[in-house]
Amino acid sequence: MRDPVLYPFYANISTLPGVGPKVLPVLARLIGGETLLDLVYHLPTSWIDRRNRASFADAQIGEVATVTGIVDQLTHSHAKLPARVRLRDDTGFLTLVYFHANKQWLERTFRIGESVVASGLVDDFRGGRQITHPDHVISADKDEALPEVEPVYPMTANLTGKALRKFMRAALEKLPELGEWIDPHLLETRGWPGYRQALDALHRPTAYDPNAFHLARERLAYDEAMAREIAMGQARLARDRRASPIIPKAINVERTIIDSLPFKPTRGQMAAFADVSADLARVIPMRRMIQGDVGSGKTLIAALAAAQVAAAGKITAVMSPTDVLARQQAEAFGRFLSPAGMRVAALTGKDRQADRKATIDALGAGEVAVVSGTQALYQSDVDLPDLGLIVIDEQHRFGVADRLRLTAKGQSPHMLVMSATPIPRTLALAFYGDLDVSIVAEKPAGRQEITTAAIPDTRTEEVMDAVSRAIERGERAFWICPAVDSEDAGDASAEARREILADALKQPVGIIHGRMSPADRDAALEAFRSGDVRILVATTVIEVGVDVPEATIIVIERADKFGLAQLHQLRGRVGRGDKPSSCLLLYRAPLTDAGKERLDILRRTNDGFEIAEADFRLRGAGDLLGLKQSGVPEFRALDIGEHADLIEIARTDAKAILASDAGLITPRGVAARQVRDLLAPRIASMLSEDQT
Ligand code: ADP
Ligand code: MG
């Protein structure tokens, strides 16, 4: 239940004066929502200092200045030319320029010989200073009506800054001050304003004061971190109150599996499994993430966990983002578990009805140790009796709320999350604060290095030759394209590239992309896996988890268009077998500096963590690792790079609040609940009723 105090924040923007049916969609698109909350979290990017008074001679080109001058000349006779108002002061002339101006308005506003104040961006036209469409023009005797400071927002067409500022002011009028959730001491030492004050300080400041803007923004950032930490802290408390099945260590099964492996597990794999194994043996539900670079062998760790669970008579459900991966996982788990006599089944959308029924019956009869599927599996009516463990593969497609939803289903299985997304520590806290983390740092010994080269796309033919030679050696190749069809990508479209390759190499060439049906995608991948087709042209749908050890070469076309982490993930599709592999990054010259640096980093290192740090540095956290598409939080005031310290402080503070006031009933607790509901609603709504 939301606190009624918050209702005004959820009022629709159409309740604001001036937001009619025409403005509404424009404004809603700009602010990414329709509530007053969305509106006031559309934060200014800068503020204009209208006090920046200058004589014409001193007005700096390229800066906003406020100038005073006498109207000297008005030119608006020619309809096709812009109107020009020439002002003079003691130092010279400055011209105001208006396109499509209303003649009557011009004549009313500018009377020769009268003094006006104009404010706007000063530019240079043939050596003279001018302001095109000044933000403000008023007669000099009303000078004090000019705002001293004005926020500047990210804007869109069809809406003026003036209108937006008006809506902001109107919205703020309607929003109440809330109780204070920040520790008074912290508030004081940081010099932060109250919550409503902070919004006011940003949207309707009374003075130009960069420090005040900074403090207000910082406070709002802290609030977002706090909201999330409170919600996640509660999720953690709730989890610790629930009981999961105690799943004791199963030494014999573990040994059977390890002894039958064609390789020796790495120390990292065994250490991570030791964490998992100990978690499983406790009554507190496990919430652990195994973080390990692509190819670090996470599947084995999960399979060992599943074996421990099966030995206790429970089943394990493995969730993958796609059907293809779900079936691949079923195979991988099957390979590891069959020596222990454990059966693994896949349940995917494309199973034949009869097969599906057989699988479900086998599940019901307790004959299956591991069932592998997509999230739909868990959402469907398939009954998973004695579910002991959920394994989520490739974490970054799931957010905290998704995880909570998965486990909110009455039973309380343990949960193991496997992520190939190495992320810096601050981010790990922000995104996975509800999880314990085990890191598999090393890769299996004897892994073939992947040679990475950046090549201009003028040399595409040579690259095709290299692919051809690999195929002749009996190896396989991926060819990644940035787009499906040729509308914007020309030859770099998957369809076009497939034809070119098939023609040139006299080979069947497979294709796989997001617009194909899951069944067709599966078939294409299967043909590639079996070797019927040895070149697979693909869009980034193959980015996650596809494991074909015979693939030794991956060509990434227009590599300059992809993000660093994404390139690293793609590159991880090769180097999985015992042959040397290569990754060829085709780029289109000229590269931007950032593009060049990205490709250089990839050539230099194969270490996912190093790449993640570099990505973070180059791009900020914004779209790090494609997190944006994945339902993980998009903060509005919080910048994970800039405010890392705030996340840590909020975490400690949230813990302290929950430790002394788990029910959130003290005044500060009530306030904390308000900020949680306001700023972390998705997680908050996943918390079960008894703790809200
Ligand atoms: P990821 O961590 O990317 O999920 P996988 O679990 O798919 O990695 O493992 C990649 C490949 O390495 C698989 O073919 C797997 O069988 C193999 N593998 C796993 N552990 C080892 C090891 N210790 N030594 C050699 N190969 C291993
Ligand atoms: Mg994997």
Side-chain angles (χ1 to χ4, degrees), residues 370-555:
V370 174
V371 58
S372 176
T374 62
Q375 217 176 334
L377 161 65
Y378 200 74
Q379 283 154 355
S380 72
D381 50 358
V382 177
D383 197 23
L384 297 176
D386 289 326
L387 184 61
L389 170 66
I390 296 182
V391 175
I392 299 177
D393 194 18
E394 304 302 349
Q395 146 72 20
H396 59 282
R397 306 282 157 131
F398 284 75
V400 175
D402 295 313
R403 279 201 297 280
L404 289 173
R405 193 176 302 122
L406 273 179
T407 49
K409 274 207 150 186
Q411 321 172 41
S412 189
H414 296 282
M415 183 181 287
L416 183 62
V417 173
M418 296 193 290
S419 172
T421 310
I423 57 175
R425 195 186 128 67
T426 30
L427 273 179
L429 279 182
F431 291 129
Y432 310 126
D434 60 329
L435 300 176
D436 301 315
V437 178
S438 299
I439 292 177
V440 190
E442 73 207 297
K443 287 199 193 166
R447 257 305 138 73
Q448 295 292 336
E449 271 298 304
I450 305 171
T451 315
T452 301
I455 302 169
D457 61 5
T458 47
R459 290 170 53 197
T460 303
E461 304 236 324
E462 287 168 52
V463 170
M464 289 183 12
D465 288 343
V467 168
S468 172
R469 285 194 299 275
I471 303 301
E472 275 160 27
R473 291 193 300 268
E475 299 165 14
R476 283 170 226 173
F478 289 109
W479 191 295
I480 310 300
C481 296
V484 177
D485 58 33
S486 53
E487 254 163 37
D488 52 22
D491 283 355
S493 81
E495 302 280 9
R497 182 54 66 192
R498 191 244 288 255
E499 271 178 37
I500 294 170
L501 284 169
D503 266 6
L505 306 187
K506 311 275 176 264
Q507 278 275 329
V509 176
I511 189 165
I512 180 167
H513 57 70
R515 285 195 222 149
M516 290 161 64
S517 74
D520 290 348
R521 260 188 312 204
D522 270 12
L525 195 57
E526 208 41 60
F528 185 64
R529 199 193 301 286
S530 69
D532 289 348
V533 164
R534 287 185 283 162
I535 306 173
L536 185 61
V537 172
T539 57
T540 54
V541 293
I542 66 137
E543 178 190 340
V544 246
V546 168
D547 186 20
V548 180
E550 294 83 0
T552 58
I553 183 163
I554 183 164
V555 179

Side-chain angles (χ1 to χ4, degrees), residues 3 47 103 168 177 179 193 205 278 368 393 476 543 604 613 629:
D3 193 323
W47 291 264
K103 195 172 164 181
M168 287 293 180
E177 181 59 283
V368 172
D393 194 18
R476 283 170 226 173
E543 178 190 340
R604 234 179 13 243
E613 294 282 355
Q629 326 134 23

Side-chain angles (χ1 to χ4, degrees), residues 295 298-299 328-329 393-394 418 420 545 576:
K298 296 181 291 293
T299 315
Q328 181 180 294
Q329 285 291 20
D393 194 18
E394 304 302 349
M418 296 193 290
R576 300 181 149 246

Side-chain angles (χ1 to χ4, degrees), residues 72-260:
D72 184 63
Q73 198 182 67
L74 185 57
T75 324
H76 57 84
S77 48
H78 200 301
K80 288 214 175 109
L81 292 177
R84 307 175 66 82
V85 183
R86 193 169 75 172
L87 307 181
R88 71 178 149 81
D89 74 358
D90 295 345
T91 64
F93 296 104
L94 181 146
T95 306
L96 308 179
V97 181
Y98 290 93
F99 292 87
H100 313 294
N102 175 297
K103 195 172 164 181
Q104 278 163 3
W105 175 82
L106 279 171
E107 286 173 353
R108 221 179 326 118
T109 311
F110 300 103
R111 296 176 206 273
I112 306 288
E114 283 188 4
S115 187
V116 296
V117 176
S119 189
L121 184 67
V122 180
D123 57 48
D124 168 81
F125 182 71
R126 296 186 184 156
R129 285 177 170 70
Q130 67 175 36
I131 297 178
T132 305
H133 289 262
D135 305 325
H136 297 274
V137 172
I138 46 180
S139 99
D141 54 7
K142 296 206 196 98
D143 192 354
E144 63 280 13
L146 192 74
E148 197 174 297
V149 51
E150 263 174 358
V152 179
Y153 297 96
M155 288 304 294
T156 174
N158 303 326
L159 195 68
T160 63
K162 194 170 158 197
L164 184 57
R165 285 190 290 269
K166 194 182 90 190
F167 300 147
M168 287 293 180
R169 282 194 300 272
L172 287 167
E173 289 299 329
K174 295 178 181 239
L175 300 182
E177 181 59 283
L178 300 175
E180 186 55 83
W181 47 82
I182 300 184
D183 172 55
H185 180 68
L186 179 67
L187 202 65
E188 200 189 311
T189 51
R190 288 282 185 156
W192 287 339
Y195 178 65
R196 261 305 311 279
Q197 277 177 309
L199 289 172
D200 279 340
L202 299 177
H203 292 298
R204 45 175 188 185
T206 51
Y208 185 85
D209 181 353
N211 190 45
F213 304 147
H214 170 75
L215 291 174
R217 163 87 196 278
E218 215 177 51
R219 178 200 159 116
L220 295 185
Y222 175 88
D223 292 341
E224 279 187 307
M226 172 64 114
R228 212 178 138 75
E229 293 300 339
I230 288 281
M232 293 204 298
Q234 286 186 301
R236 193 176 261 275
L237 286 177
R239 153 201 134 178
D240 290 352
R241 273 200 303 270
R242 281 203 295 264
S244 283
I246 292 179
I247 304 204
K249 230 174 146 45
I251 304 283
N252 287 338
V253 179
E254 186 183 320
R255 197 154 293 151
T256 307
I257 292 172
I258 289 176
D259 287 348
S260 59

Side-chain angles (χ1 to χ4, degrees), residues 334-349:
R335 271 196 303 275
F336 291 132
L337 296 181
S338 60
M342 292 171 177
R343 191 174 146 195
V344 176
L347 263 185
T348 64

